[in-house]
Every structure is written in structure tokens, then in C-alpha cells.
Amino acid sequence: MAADGDPLAELTASVRAAAAAVRGGVGEPSAQPRLERSRHQAQGDYSTNAAMLLAPVLGVGPREIAERLGAEIEGLLGEDLDHAEIAGPGFLNLVMTDGWHRRALATVLAAGDQFGAGGAKVCERTVIEFVSANPTGPLVAASGRHAAYGDALARILEHHGHSVWREYYFNDAGNQIRLLGASVQARARGAALPAGGYQGEYVVGLASEIDGSATVDVDVVAARAVELLLAQIKATLVRYGVRFDRFFSERTLREGSPSDLEQALALVEGRGHVYRSEGATWLRTTTFGDDKDRVLVRSNGEPTYLAADVAYLQDKRERGFERQLMPVGSDHHAYVRELKATIAALGGDPETLEAPLIQFVHLVEGGQAAAMSKRLGSFVTLDDLLDEIGVDATRYFMLQRSHDRTLDLDVELARKKSRENPVYYVQYAHARIASMLRRLPDERVAAAVAPDGDWGEAELQVWERDLVKKLAAFPGELAEAAERRAPHRIAGYALELAQVFTSFYENCRVRGAEPETLESQRIALSLATGRTIALALGLLGVSAPDSM
RNA sequence: GCCCCCGUAGCUCAGCUGGAUAGAGCGGUGGCCUUCUAAGCCACGGGUCGCAGGUUCGAGUCCUGCCGGGGGCGCCA
């Protein structure tokens, strides 16, 4: 079986080799033939669309090609293949032998915690910048979606074989920070908030926490408030299980002489993409597909947020990342075009920047959605949510749905410790496996999963075959999740694996199964499933408890 | 007005870049506990895939136009 621990790698390779042999060097198919899990039992274990892809190339009917393909595959797979059959418009369905299933299971076990790892063709040096909420308030529930997404994606990409650096970029200078300082001072003085000021309850807390908040310079108050809020944000992230390699301060880009910001602006100006008009300095982003040019330095001499980003993007370029991921909220989505134009203006390739769109989160309870605006002060913080439903449920629910769709998070459901709650269902399957294996002597389990273990020759039950195939699908699922930046696929996979296992568990007695070789095989299946559930949950940042 | 995301079961959502009879959870109905965790299992019911065209052997998936929901179009960040 394949060295990389993918039980399907060999099968896929055989299908492609057979397709190539049938094609005999003639023409070029429109796509690589695919190996798919059959949806219905009558359609075998796996199927391939290769014949239908080759039909237009060879000018022969797909069913006739499928026949030749079947002959080739039979030769290549030997004893792994029970038989192949042609079906529908030209699918070739493959029915695998019990021996193949047992070998697949052995491959899963041999891979250990590296199961599904290293599928990336090349290792990309990747930086993922996420959350990046400004320290003008505590993290809100919506930030929990960004944090869960970015962190899970980072874990998935690493397991897939990329090198990932996690960064949190925060704005600690400029208008909003000044406004924060003024808001705190106003509270300290019992005065009215400035126009558009921060109204949250935490601002009152900061006013009393900061020494001399009513009297010292407002910039000092602002700096202290940022410090306190940033510490609070970091604490929340730690609690949430989200690790960053670096918190990048925007202010540092403005410090020194010349500052990084000044140097970056000089760089784009030297490349001829800067001009002055109406007293302001502009970046000609329209050269690179933006719909209008953007201001870098305001007419009052103050650099814009974009100016800082020019410097930040240049900084990342200089650090040699080959791929930049920057999940953004839908409210900031339009800004991505400016950033891509900026990269181009710096002489880089805008295609190296990817900005997956993260849609809003609505907390639902009794049909009521809570608003989450920092400035209006009516919000649910991430800490509130974690207090309410816990880290595991929060992360799982945040990752359950595709990131580019708005998410209705049902707090009432997430709080439940019952079968209705998918995260408990998955964790329960893991706990059940651990509990069952605990009742066996360690040596018994070790012998059952040893490379030379004997699993006998008994005909596999349908539940056993299904479980092996679900396990074997993991490397492919992981690759999809990584390549499509879609952690929710792992959440879906974990739920399905738990379902298939539970069905197996209800129908196939493990402990005490006769003969002993059958018990060994089922122990091996259970252990492999437990590990894979733990692996999948781990990629999502959700714990896999041994007892519940 | 222009740009981006989304319309799939009563509800919340998957659907592997064009494949076979469109799936899951919840909710509903009906079964199943002397046996490894019933926090569970099994069965049944439930659909004009927003609408209308188009592309081809084949469309929930790709193209165009409508309709509906959300977001964005500052010298805010």
C-alpha cells in the first residue's frame, strides 16, 4: 500500500494507469479520471468515470471503453479486486475483496497520527493572518468564527504538508484608537461620549481600571486601554485554543526614521504608482484592476489604513512567504481588491493572496438574533459564548458550516449535552471506543493492531466494510479541506465517521467476538476509528474525551 | 445604480469544481435496552434544487437574464 498512508492512493493510481493504457497515447482527456465512493451498495465499493472521459477522445462508446478498462484494471489489481462491472452511461464499478479492506485497515493503523498527512504536492511557506480585530473592545462572537476558521485551516494545512505561520495584525494607532481613548476619558469624567464613541460597558471598566484616566493625556489613556484590551483578547484566544506566532502592531510600522511605512510608500512611488491630487497622496490601484484610486496620505498629512497595509504587505513579502491567506469578513471583502492591487504595485503576484470570505454569525435563541456592534455596545462577547456553551461546542458549531455562508448558531442546541448536538455525538463515539478498549488488557489491543496481527478470513460484514471505506476516505477529505480552504468538510467527515462507527458498534460485537481473530479485527477497526475521530476533531481544535 | 456572497426536505445545512435513484442533522411517525456508554440503533414519511432560457451524451453544479435575502461601494478601519 502507498507509503503516504493513503489506502486509496494505489487504487487511484491503478485506475489512472488503466485509463492511460486504454487511451494508448491517443488524444488527451478533458480531466483526470476520478475514483469515487459509490453512493449505493448496488454500485460496488468504488467507481470511476474514466470511460466517459475517454469516449470523446477515442471516438468510441463509453460502455465499450469501460469494458476494455475493466480488463486492464482486473490485471492491475489482481486479488484486491473481486470484480468490475459496467453500469449506467459508462461507469465502471469496482467491488473490492475482503482482503483489500483488511489491507486498507492495516494502512490506516500503520500511519498512526500521521494518517492523511503530507498530501500536498509541494510545501508552501504560508502566512495566515486572521482575526486581526482591533483592540478597541473584547472579541465578539463573530470573531470566534474567524478565530476557529483560521486556526482550523492552519492545522489542516500543516497536516496536509504546508508550513504555516499564524499572524494577528492589529491597529494600535489612528482615529479609532484616539476615539477609544476619548471614550474612556469621557466615562472617567462622567462626560458625554464623543460622537461615534465606544458605548460598551467595558469602556466604563477601563475608565476605573486606568490610573488617572480622567486627568492624564488622552493619548496615554488610549495606549493603556489598548494594552489592557489586547491582553484580554490574547487571554480569550488562549482559552479558545487559538495560537498565534506573532501579534503584529501597526504602530511599529510607523516608528523609526525612515519608518517601514515611509519606505514602503517610497517603494511604490519609485515604481511610478503614486501621484498627488487635491492635497492628498494617491495609489494608482486602477492600474491593477481596482475601480478607483485610493488615498495613501490624507490632505492633513495623516497616512490611511491602506498606507499601513502597503508597509505590512511589503513586510510579509520580504519575509518570503509564498502564499498569503487572509480570511476577511464580508464587511471588509471589497477591501481585498485594494490589497491585491497593492501587492501588484509592490511588484508582487496578487494571486498569492487569498482572502476567503467569512460571513456573519447570528446567534439564535428562540428565533432572536443578538446584534454584535462594538460601537453600539450591544454585543455578545466570545467569552460570553464560551461561558455559555464551552470551547468545544463553540468551535464545532463555528466550523460546521461553509465559511462563506451566514451562520445561524443555535445557542440552545449547542448547550445541550444530548444526541441532538452533533459535537456531543462525535465526542460520544470517541468516548465509547475508549471506554470499550479500556476494558481489554493493553497486550490484547497491542496484539490486535500489530503489523503481524492475524485478523482471520471471515467474510466481512457490511458494517465493517463501510467503516473501512469511511476511514480510507480521510486522506482525500483532508486534501479537499486543505485545497479548498474548507474546514467544515472535516466537521462533516467527523460526524459521518461517528455515524458509521456507531452503526457498526450496534451491529458488530467487538469484545468477545468469535473467533479471536475476528475480535482482533474489530479491535483494530475500533482503535483506528477512535484515532481518526481524535485526529479530525484535533484539526478543528475540538477535544476528544476518553469518557463522558 | 455598480460589485461580492447566498436561495437545495417543515428548520439548520452538505453536495467532493459536469455524472447514476440529490444527502445529513434536528423536528415528525413507528419499532428496539438481561450483552462492550440508550448521550444509542433501525425503519418510514418528507424535494418543481428560487424562476426562465442556454451550453452537451449528461446540469443542484457551468453561461445569460430575472426574482428574493445579506454585505460592500469614505481622505473610517
Side-chain angles (χ1 to χ4, degrees), chain A residues 136-454:
Chain A
T136 51
L139 290 180
V140 297
S143 302
R145 189 175 199 188
H146 287 256
Y149 175 83
D151 184 61
L153 184 56
R155 293 176 195 229
I156 288 165
L157 290 174
E158 279 169 345
H159 198 71
H160 193 50
H162 296 300
S163 133
V164 183
W165 179 262
R166 301 123 174 268
E167 202 150 292
Y168 186 121
Y169 177 78
F170 65 97
N171 179 249
D172 50 352
N175 284 337
Q176 296 305 316
I177 300 302
R178 237 169 274 135
L179 192 56
L180 174 70
S183 300
V184 172
Q185 190 150 71
R187 287 299 192 198
R189 291 173 177 170
L193 283 175
Y198 290 88
Q199 299 176 21
E201 205 43 46
Y202 65 93
V203 177
V204 178
L206 288 169
S208 61
E209 208 169 335
I210 296 171
D211 288 337
S213 55
T215 50
V216 299
D217 187 89
V218 68
D219 287 341
V220 175
V221 176
R224 184 75 185 120
V226 163
E227 203 178 310
L228 290 168
L229 287 169
L230 198 59
Q232 188 184 336
I233 287 169
K234 286 180 179 176
T236 304
L237 290 168
V238 167
R239 177 186 182 194
Y240 199 37
V242 176
R243 177 181 66 76
F244 282 93
D245 293 300
R246 181 172 179 185
F247 286 81
F248 196 109
S249 152
E250 188 215 321
R251 188 171 38 76
T252 61
L253 293 169
R254 302 174 185 238
E255 290 172 347
S257 187
S259 67
D260 289 348
L261 192 148
E262 287 161 346
Q263 291 181 56
L265 294 194
L267 182 61
V268 283
E269 179 154 26
R271 298 182 63 89
H273 303 306
V274 173
Y275 65 94
R276 286 179 181 76
S277 172
E278 303 165 50
T281 304
W282 299 72
L283 181 64
R284 202 185 320 268
T285 52
T286 48
T287 306
F288 306 103
D290 200 357
D291 53 357
K292 60 178 98 161
D293 292 336
R294 308 290 170 174
V295 171
L296 287 169
V297 183
R298 302 178 184 108
S299 45
N300 66 7
E302 182 99 10
T304 60
Y305 186 80
L306 177 62
D309 261 335
V310 174
Y312 182 46
L313 288 169
Q314 176 61 15
D315 185 273
K316 283 199 263 193
R317 269 170 56 73
E318 285 168 0
R319 284 186 277 158
F321 293 113
E322 294 151 345
R323 173 75 48 192
Q324 274 194 55
L325 294 175
M326 201 185 80
V328 294
S330 54
D331 53 340
H332 286 214
H333 193 58
Y335 188 57
V336 173
R337 198 192 298 188
E338 296 173 44
L339 292 179
K340 285 189 183 250
T342 299
I343 290 175
L346 286 163
D349 176 5
E351 294 304 306
T352 58
L353 173 70
E354 283 177 47
L357 178 65
I358 313 291
Q359 287 284 8
F360 289 172
V361 180
H362 298 132
L363 297 184
V364 176
E365 192 164 16
Q368 192 74 32
M372 284 174 285
S373 159
K374 266 192 251 183
R375 275 180 236 177
L376 293 179
S378 61
F379 60 86
V380 177
T381 66
L382 180 53
D383 275 317
D384 291 341
L385 191 58
L386 296 178
D387 289 343
E388 189 65 28
I389 64 176
V391 171
D392 286 342
T394 304
R395 290 193 65 136
Y396 190 90
F397 274 70
M398 291 291 189
L399 292 169
Q400 207 180 3
R401 306 305 182 197
S402 178
H403 55 88
D404 58 6
R405 295 181 61 133
T406 55
L407 173 70
D408 286 339
L409 197 165
D410 187 335
V411 177
E412 199 173 303
L413 176 63
R415 193 166 32 213
K416 282 185 184 164
K417 308 203 178 220
S418 73
R419 61 169 174 258
E420 300 149 73
N421 184 341
V423 67
Y424 282 96
Y425 180 88
V426 176
Q427 291 183 315
Y428 181 65
H430 183 268
R432 220 177 199 187
I433 291 166
S435 159
M436 189 253 296
L437 294 177
R438 261 198 307 275
R439 300 175 67 149
L440 289 159
D442 290 349
E443 314 83 68
R444 178 73 193 90
V445 176
V449 301
D452 59 350
D454 182 1

